[in-house]
């Protein structure tokens, strides 16, 4: 019996031992990952970690130095980009400004010589799907950034690609728009049962859209799993930092926090910004260094006894302590992750 | 169960890309080899192998002649003076015409750009008309002096500086200048510390092209300089056609080839070293008080352009002591004493037919060349091959039209390459003369297309060819029309190569004008004026259409 890792993945994308080089630079270093059909995977990593190169290699835009890329069991080596049946959506959409919105969306259908009536109906359907009914005759240059990305998404989905490749699809948008479009993207991908590989440096984008996550650093895959798994147990302190944890504690301070949280495991402790809460019955003590009111809560920086300076929150309803005051703190176990000693 | 992992067989994408590149380049390379390398090589062989044996001594003797030294010196200093004056007039004019907003700016722009495509012979005729006996500026006594030649060179080349610097200025990011002003710099200081450094690349690039054009000017010098003031270019013509000293002509051609190639290489290096300036569309502003000096210089430039043209038109309408269209009516005759074999109207038909052929040839060739040289290279080998092709395709810019025409004459006269009677011989030569201009119009547009547009197209299922059509060609539609207009205008006015190649019974208009000028008789001269106006009007019309099609922020030479 082959072990699971040796099995050829029959349904969906299977990247095995992939290495991509730019001259002497190893951009993607021996990466393996599997993406079953119908799922959405986010590859998360800082800029320059090789995630975009990985995406371009899957698209057929960068030749691999070694390793293989398969889809539904078929090796894609030597298959040119336009024959892979994928679609790639760039960070800035890369709409064709010399064509109307409808003509952009129709582009992949025209390429495949679909009948005119079918193209028109499909374009209307897609524009409705991305919430841009009636935009067909507009020029891309007249659209806002979010609208452009929606058009790019509609264009990429037009022929129901076997695999949708998304290169930081939301990064160019502002925060509010990013959140809304992230929700929509997830809904649209689920409704169309699209298999998608998304790369991003924004953990919120990744969590908002993906069924699976893979963390990349310096060309290598550091960790992969469901968002909940990755979230609960970052592979190391760097991974925790990249996932949005505000602080990682080690040694004696880590043990203090673990005891206060009532956790028996051992290891490094990663804390979210709201992991510590002002609570008169809390097991930790500290002195407030600074306080800043926000609509949801008062955000504090507290010198925690035996631990050090950490972020904490005081929820509305309780009187917010000012700088110099002594407070008691409780630890919210759901906002703490333990990194086992490896 | 999987066995040993097989080696990656990605179809050697590097080799495949390289093959595709060479396949695409094969056509233009073949054309250039037959119609450029061969003639130029033939011309060089004429110099070094005069009797079939290698004899460089003859070439050295020619280069030692005192007359050759005089010609060389005059070529250099007149070109240098012309270049400096052109830049001094052209940069302020570029500011006024491309950065300021006022009614009529578009017409003035087209007017300043027109001389560039005006047939050189026409420019010569116009300046003669202004400075010669009876002309409005005859009292200056400049007729037949170097000053007249230099003024005509400036007239002719202003367009290069105005267009190159103007488009760069138009696309310049205004924020550094605004930042400098916000930090307390006066308008003059802003110009010197922020604007001028950003424009330096465009100015140097334009100046080097202007120097090149000045140093290889032919028609203007031939008409205005006569035998007394000859440049290398006119000297080659005189040696070939009048003195039949082919060896000396070949020696001078070789000298010119070397000098021009060195100059072009230097210009390309300067361009490469100039950092890319962020392109940005900025709104032109209304003229203000600080623009007064620039406006004054622009007026001088406009006068320099307008006076010869107006004088030319006025002269063409003068009949004896009165006015009339008699000179134009005479264009369907062959002039007094049968100076030309066919009526001027027939020559105009020849010119238009030849221009159509030259246009499709140079645009087709230029399009292929532009695609080949602008694609992004994926490997070192590919980059080297592409760089080599780039240099090769720019060679025609380094060879003067006269050398090319001369080379055609002595090499394409034997089977299987006997083109002496081919109606396509003249168009081919003109297409090669226009080729660098076509490439300079198309290549920047292609280079400006984000490669990811093509990648988006292929990722959506478009084959590379389909991506080329739907992305590149779609965006090139307007520049292609503009390039075609340029090629058409250049072909209409081309004189250097055509003067060698056009048969006496199938002349073009510039050839006829030169013939008419060379023969005494006021009727012939008046006909030359009228023909010049007709030719100028034709090219001006084409040029105006080109200017209307101009892609903002892209272009220049």
């Amino acid at each position: 019996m082959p072990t699971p890792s040796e099995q050829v993945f029959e349904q969906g994308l299977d990247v095995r031992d992939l290495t991509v080089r730019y001259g002497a630079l190893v951009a993607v270093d021996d990466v393996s990952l599997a993406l079953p059909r119908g799922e959405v995977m986010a590859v998360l990593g800082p800029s320059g970690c090789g995630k975009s190169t990985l995406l371009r290699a899957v698209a057929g835009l960068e030749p691999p130095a070694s390793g293989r890329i398969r889809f539904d069991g078929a090796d894609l080596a030597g298959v040119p980009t336009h024959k892979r049946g994928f679609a790639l959506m760039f960070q800035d959409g890369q709409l064709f400004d010399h064509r109307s919105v409808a003509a952009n969306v129709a582009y992949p259908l025209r390429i495949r010589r679909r009948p005119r009536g079918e193209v028109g109906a499909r374009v209307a359907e897609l524009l409705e799907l991305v919430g841009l009914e009636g935009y067909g005759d507009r020029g891309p240059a007249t659209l806002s950034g979010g609208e452009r990305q929606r058009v790019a998404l509609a264009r990429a989905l037009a022929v129901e690609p076997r695999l949708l490749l998304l290169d930081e699809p939301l990064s160019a948008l502002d925060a509010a728009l990013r959140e809304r479009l992230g929700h929509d993207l997830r809904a649209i991908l689920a409704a169309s049962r699209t298999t998608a590989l998304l790369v991003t440096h924004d953990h919120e984008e990744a969590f908002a859209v993906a069924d699976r996550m893979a963390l990349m650093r310096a060309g290598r895959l550091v960790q992969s799993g469901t968002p909940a798994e990755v979230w609960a147990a970052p592979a190391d302190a760097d991974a925790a930092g990249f996932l949005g944890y505000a602080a990682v504690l080690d040694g004696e301070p880590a043990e203090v926090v673990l005891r206060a949280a009532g956790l028996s495991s051992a290891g490094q402790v990663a804390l979210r910004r709201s992991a510590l809460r002002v609570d008169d019955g809390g097991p930790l003590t500290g002195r407030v260094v600074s306080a800043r009111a926000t609509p949801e809560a008062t955000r504090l920086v507290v010198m925690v006894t035996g631990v050090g300076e950490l972020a904490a929150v005081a929820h509305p309803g309780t009187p917010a302590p000012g700088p110099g005051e002594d407070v008691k703190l409780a630890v919210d176990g759901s906002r703490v992750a333990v990194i086992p000693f490896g | 169960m999987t066995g040993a992992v097989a080696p990656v067989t990605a179809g050697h994408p590097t080799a495949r890309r390289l093959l595709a590149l060479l396949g695409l380049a094969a056509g233009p390379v073949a054309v250039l080899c037959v119609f450029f390398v061969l003639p130029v090589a033939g011309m060089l062989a004429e110099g070094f192998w005069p009797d079939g044996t290698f004899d460089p001594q003859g070439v050295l003797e020619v280069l030692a002649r005192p007359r050759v030294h005089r010609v060389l010196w005059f070529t250099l200093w007149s070109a240098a003076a012309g270049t400096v004056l052109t830049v001094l007039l052209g940069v302020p004019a570029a500011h006024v015409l491309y950065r300021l907003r006022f009614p009529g700016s578009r017409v003035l722009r087209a007017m300043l750009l027109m001389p560039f495509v005006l047939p050189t012979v026409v420019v010569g005729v116009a300046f003669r008309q202004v400075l010669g006996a009876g002309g409005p500026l005859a009292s200056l006594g400049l007729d037949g002096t170097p000053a007249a030649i230099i003024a005509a060179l400036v007239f002719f080349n202003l367009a290069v500086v105005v267009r190159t610097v103007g488009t760069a200025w138009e696309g310049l990011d205004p924020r550094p200048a605004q930042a400098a002003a916000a930090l307390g710099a006066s308008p003059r200081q802003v110009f010197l510390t922020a604007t001028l450094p950003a424009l330096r690349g465009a100015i140097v690039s334009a100046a080097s092209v202007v120097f090149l054009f000045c140093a290889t000017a032919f028609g203007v010098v031939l008409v205005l300089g006569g035998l007394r003031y000859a440049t290398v270019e006119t000297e080659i013509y005189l040696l070939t056609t009048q003195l039949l000293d082919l060896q000396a002509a070949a020696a001078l051609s070789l000298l010119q080839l070397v000098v021009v190639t060195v100059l072009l290489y230097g210009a390309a290096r300067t361009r490469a070293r100039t950092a890319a300036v962020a392109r940005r569309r900025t709104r032109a502003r209304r003229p203000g008080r600080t623009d007064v000096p620039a406006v004054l210089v622009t007026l001088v430039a406009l006068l320099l352009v307008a006076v010869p043209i107006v004088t030319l038109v006025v002269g063409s309408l003068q009949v004896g002591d009165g006015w009339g269209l008699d000179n134009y009516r005479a264009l369907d005759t062959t002039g007094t004493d049968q100076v030309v074999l066919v009526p001027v109207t027939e020559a105009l038909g020849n010119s238009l037919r030849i221009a159509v052929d030259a246009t499709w040839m140079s645009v087709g060739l230029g399009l292929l060349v532009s695609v080949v040289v602008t694609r992004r290279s994926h490997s070192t080998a590919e980059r080297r091959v592409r760089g080599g092709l780039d240099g090769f395709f720019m060679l025609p810019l380094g060879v003067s039209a006269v050398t090319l025409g001369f080379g055609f004459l002595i090499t394409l006269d034997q089977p299987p390459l006997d083109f002496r009677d081919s109606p396509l011989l003249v168009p081919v030569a003109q297409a090669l003369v226009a080729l660098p201009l076509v490439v300079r119009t198309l290549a920047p547009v292609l280079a400006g297309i984000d490669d990811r547009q093509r990648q988006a197209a292929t990722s959506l299922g478009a084959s590379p060819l389909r991506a080329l059509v739907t992305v590149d060609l779609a965006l090139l539609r307007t520049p292609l029309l503009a390039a075609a207009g340029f090629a058409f205008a250049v072909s209409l006015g081309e004189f250097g190569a055509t003067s060698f190649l056009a048969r006496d019974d199938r002349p073009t208009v510039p050839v006829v004008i030169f013939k008419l000028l060379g023969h005494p008789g006021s009727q012939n001269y008046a006909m030359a004026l009228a023909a010049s106006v007709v030719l100028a009007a034709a090219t001006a019309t084409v040029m105006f259409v080109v200017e209307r099609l101009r892609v903002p922020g892209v272009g220049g030479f």
Side-chain angles (χ1 to χ4, degrees):
Chain A
M1 277 292 288
T3 61
S5 71
E6 283 173 336
Q7 265 173 345
V8 173
F9 209 73
E10 289 298 345
Q11 293 283 307
L13 176 71
D14 183 29
V15 175
R16 197 64 64 84
D17 308 325
L18 181 72
T19 298
V20 182
R21 291 200 180 88
Y22 294 122
L25 177 80
V26 182
V28 175
D29 190 359
D30 200 23
V31 166
S32 296
L33 54 84
L35 173 61
R37 273 215 203 173
E39 293 198 9
V40 178
M41 176 185 273
V43 177
L44 181 62
S47 58
C49 74
K51 58 186 190 302
S52 287
T53 305
L54 170 66
L55 195 78
R56 294 170 57 81
V58 172
L61 294 169
E62 302 292 346
S66 66
R68 24 182 87 243
I69 301 166
R70 295 190 185 85
F71 198 87
D72 287 356
D75 197 330
L76 295 179
V79 178
T81 303
H82 65 282
K83 291 193 177 142
R84 295 196 174 196
F86 300 167
L88 172 58
M89 180 177 154
F90 285 99
Q91 181 175 357
D92 48 4
Q94 290 295 331
L95 297 180
F96 304 134
D97 280 343
H98 54 284
R99 291 165 175 262
S100 70
V101 166
N104 264 282
V105 178
Y107 183 83
L109 301 164
R110 292 262 169 77
I111 292 286
R112 288 167 178 78
R113 302 186 192 290
R114 298 279 171 81
R116 191 172 284 269
E118 184 194 324
V119 171
R122 178 80 179 131
V123 168
E125 185 187 333
L126 285 159
L127 287 179
E128 193 186 325
L129 182 70
V130 298
L132 290 175
E133 303 97 320
Y135 277 63
D137 293 332
R138 300 264 297 265
T142 67
L143 303 182
S144 71
E147 289 166 345
R148 290 175 68 91
Q149 286 305 77
R150 285 168 190 270
V151 175
L153 181 63
R155 185 177 72 175
L157 290 172
V159 286
E160 292 167 351
R162 299 197 292 171
L163 174 64
L164 177 62
L165 302 166
L166 302 156
D167 190 358
E168 311 228 359
L170 309 175
S171 304
L173 310 175
D174 65 55
L177 201 57
R178 188 159 58 222
E179 196 175 327
R180 209 173 68 220
L181 199 56
H183 277 289
D184 290 355
L185 181 60
R186 177 162 186 90
I188 290 166
L189 291 180
S192 54
R193 308 177 73 83
T194 302
T195 315
L197 182 64
L198 168 146
V199 305
T200 179
H201 68 268
D202 177 2
H203 59 90
E204 286 179 11
E205 191 172 323
F207 283 117
V209 179
D211 304 309
R212 284 164 183 267
M213 282 183 48
L215 248 68
M216 247 182 112
R217 199 165 57 222
R220 291 186 153 271
L221 210 58
V222 180
Q223 190 178 9
S224 62
T226 66
E229 287 166 5
V230 174
W231 182 255
D236 54 30
D238 280 348
F242 206 75
L243 289 167
Y245 284 90
V248 177
L249 303 176
D250 207 349
E252 178 62 24
E255 284 170 30
V256 171
V257 171
L258 280 175
R259 267 200 305 277
L263 296 169
S264 56
S265 41
Q268 289 175 298
V269 178
L271 300 164
R272 304 211 53 85
R273 266 200 323 169
S274 52
L276 299 184
R277 187 179 72 241
V278 174
D279 186 334
D280 287 342
L284 296 175
T285 58
R287 176 165 293 176
V288 175
V289 177
S290 68
R292 181 171 57 87
T294 70
E296 293 89 31
T298 302
R299 299 205 169 275
L300 308 172
V301 175
V302 180
M303 188 60 163
V304 182
T305 315
V307 179
E309 242 179 50
L310 286 175
V313 292
H315 285 291
T318 58
E325 281 182 49
D326 287 327
V327 288
K328 283 187 177 294
L329 299 162
V331 182
D332 182 347
S334 68
R335 293 166 189 273
V336 171
V338 180
I339 305 166
F341 292 122
Chain B
M1 199 171 296
T2 54
V5 177
V8 179
T9 49
H12 297 289
T14 304
R16 214 171 45 202
R17 282 191 62 91
L18 213 52
L19 273 178
L21 170 65
L22 290 175
L24 207 57
V29 167
V31 171
L32 241 63
C33 280
V34 173
F35 293 107
F36 177 77
V37 175
L38 188 66
V40 172
M43 179 273 298
L44 292 182
E46 194 72 34
F48 284 104
W49 286 269
D51 311 306
T53 52
F54 184 63
D55 177 21
Q57 202 57 41
V59 170
L60 294 177
E61 272 166 24
V62 170
L63 296 181
R65 287 182 197 165
R67 171 156 174 101
V68 168
H69 287 172
R70 263 205 320 278
V71 165
L72 191 61
W73 172 239
F74 179 73
T75 306
L76 290 177
W77 84 255
S78 66
T83 305
V84 170
L85 280 173
T86 309
V87 169
L88 288 180
L89 280 179
V91 171
H95 167 72
V96 170
L97 293 178
Y98 283 82
R99 286 309 292 266
L100 300 184
R101 190 157 43 98
F102 55 93
S105 63
R106 178 163 232 162
V107 174
L108 291 185
R109 217 189 273 177
M111 192 177 136
L112 261 196
L113 296 185
M114 197 179 68
F116 180 67
V117 288
L118 273 190
T120 53
V121 176
V122 173
V123 176
V125 173
F127 271 80
R128 237 191 186 184
Q129 184 71 6
V130 172
L131 300 173
L137 299 179
S139 56
L140 295 178
L142 292 177
D143 192 24
T145 66
I149 294 175
I150 291 168
L153 289 176
V154 174
F155 168 93
F156 183 64
N157 284 301
L158 258 179
V160 177
V161 173
V162 170
R163 198 177 154 90
T164 308
V165 178
T167 47
W169 212 327
E170 195 177 36
L172 208 59
D173 189 342
R175 289 170 300 181
Q178 290 162 355
L183 292 169
S186 69
R188 203 180 72 91
Q189 286 167 322
V190 167
F191 177 74
L192 290 178
T193 58
T195 311
L196 200 56
L199 289 178
R200 192 170 48 201
I203 293 174
V204 170
S205 169
S208 54
V209 173
V210 169
F211 186 83
L212 187 69
F213 284 157
C214 287
T216 57
F218 176 56
V220 166
V221 183
L222 197 61
V223 173
L224 290 175
L227 281 172
R228 189 143 162 251
Y229 294 105
T231 61
V232 174
E233 187 87 348
T234 59
E235 190 70 1
I236 294 171
Y237 176 81
L238 289 175
L239 287 168
T240 316
T241 58
Q242 312 289 310
L243 308 174
L244 302 178
D245 186 350
L246 295 190
Q247 198 184 17
L252 282 180
S253 288
L254 176 66
L255 179 69
Q256 192 180 43
L257 187 66
V258 171
V259 171
V260 166
T261 307
V262 167
L263 194 68
L264 276 178
Y265 182 73
R269 290 282 301 259
T270 316
R271 249 202 305 277
R273 258 187 281 120
T274 312
V277 177
R279 286 223 167 282
R280 218 156 180 280
R281 198 78 178 94
T282 47
R283 276 173 62 82
R285 59 174 173 81
R286 294 189 167 284
R289 224 165 21 149
T290 49
D291 299 318
V292 169
V295 170
L296 289 177
V297 175
T298 308
L299 284 178
V300 173
L302 285 169
L303 273 179
L304 178 71
V305 170
V307 168
I309 293 175
V310 171
T311 312
L312 180 68
V313 174
V314 169
S316 74
L317 293 171
Q318 240 160 9
V319 183
D321 289 333
W323 305 89
L325 293 173
D326 300 25
N327 299 329
Y328 290 89
R329 284 194 203 101
L331 290 182
D332 64 356
T333 71
T334 52
T336 44
D337 307 331
Q338 304 283 309
V339 168
V340 282
L341 294 179
V342 300
V344 181
T345 43
E346 194 181 319
L348 186 62
N350 291 340
S351 275
L352 292 174
R353 264 194 306 279
I354 289 171
V356 168
D357 284 335
T359 302
W360 67 254
M361 286 177 196
S362 63
V363 170
L365 207 55
L367 179 62
L368 272 176
V369 169
S370 303
V371 169
V372 167
V373 300
T374 53
R375 282 306 168 99
R376 196 169 65 92
S377 296
H378 286 237
S379 63
T380 318
E382 197 186 337
R383 190 160 38 246
R384 291 221 179 96
V385 171
R386 208 177 287 277
L389 287 171
D390 193 8
F392 180 66
F393 290 137
M394 279 300 121
L395 276 180
L397 200 58
V399 173
S400 76
V402 168
T403 301
L404 192 67
F406 176 35
F408 267 47
L409 208 60
I410 58 172
T411 50
L412 302 179
D413 58 350
Q414 282 158 24
L417 296 173
D418 184 1
F419 293 110
R420 271 173 304 176
D421 286 328
S422 166
L424 292 183
L425 186 62
V426 175
V428 166
Q430 296 182 343
L432 286 179
V433 173
L435 181 65
L437 209 56
V438 170
V439 173
R440 290 281 179 101
T441 308
L442 300 182
V445 180
L446 281 179
I449 297 175
D450 193 329
D451 209 31
R452 290 177 306 159
Q453 288 265 304
R454 301 174 188 117
Q455 292 171 355
T458 49
S459 94
L460 294 167
S463 65
L465 185 68
R466 193 71 193 260
L468 181 76
V469 172
T470 51
V471 176
D472 294 309
L473 289 189
L475 292 170
L476 269 186
R477 210 175 306 160
T478 311
L480 269 175
L481 278 172
F486 267 133
F488 196 84
V490 166
S491 165
L492 275 185
E494 212 289 324
F495 180 57
T498 313
S499 59
F500 282 89
L501 301 174
R503 287 166 35 150
D504 285 344
D505 58 344
R506 249 186 275 151
T508 63
V509 178
V511 172
V512 168
I513 292 172
F514 187 66
K515 279 246 167 77
L516 287 170
L517 283 179
H519 290 78
S522 62
Q523 175 61 22
N524 287 343
Y525 186 73
M527 269 175 73
L529 292 182
S532 295
V533 172
V534 169
L535 194 56
T539 45
T541 309
V542 173
M543 197 58 198
F544 189 70
V545 173
V546 168
E547 177 60 19
R548 290 203 73 99
L549 293 175
R550 199 176 60 88
V551 188
V554 175
F557 301 91

